Amino acid sequence: MQIYHKPYFRETTFSTDMRRQALGIIKHYDFDSFILGTSMLENTSAKEASG
């Protein structure tokens, strides 16, 4: 889940449970945008949002 650091000796993988994975992504990866919303947006793809 990369909560403390990115993986050193294995391939980078992500959990499918975003509630657990979100902290690791926020702390260790650069990003230039984010989506705020309710659970209604859960199935929105990044491709749809980037338009």
Side-chain angles (χ1 to χ4, degrees), residues 23-36:
L23 179 61
I25 292 172
I26 291 167
K27 289 175 72 173
H28 303 296
Y29 290 88
D30 293 330
F31 49 93
D32 61 1
S33 59
F34 54 92
I35 298 173
L36 295 177

Side-chain angles (χ1 to χ4, degrees), residues 5-42:
H5 57 78
K6 288 183 177 182
Y8 296 127
F9 304 108
R10 64 174 177 84
E11 184 178 328
T12 300
T13 56
F14 297 97
S15 171
T16 56
D17 183 355
M18 284 306 294
R19 287 182 185 245
R20 293 184 179 176
Q21 183 65 68
L23 179 61
I25 292 172
I26 291 167
K27 289 175 72 173
H28 303 296
Y29 290 88
D30 293 330
F31 49 93
D32 61 1
S33 59
F34 54 92
I35 298 173
L36 295 177
T38 65
S39 60
M40 299 275 295
L41 287 172
E42 180 179 1

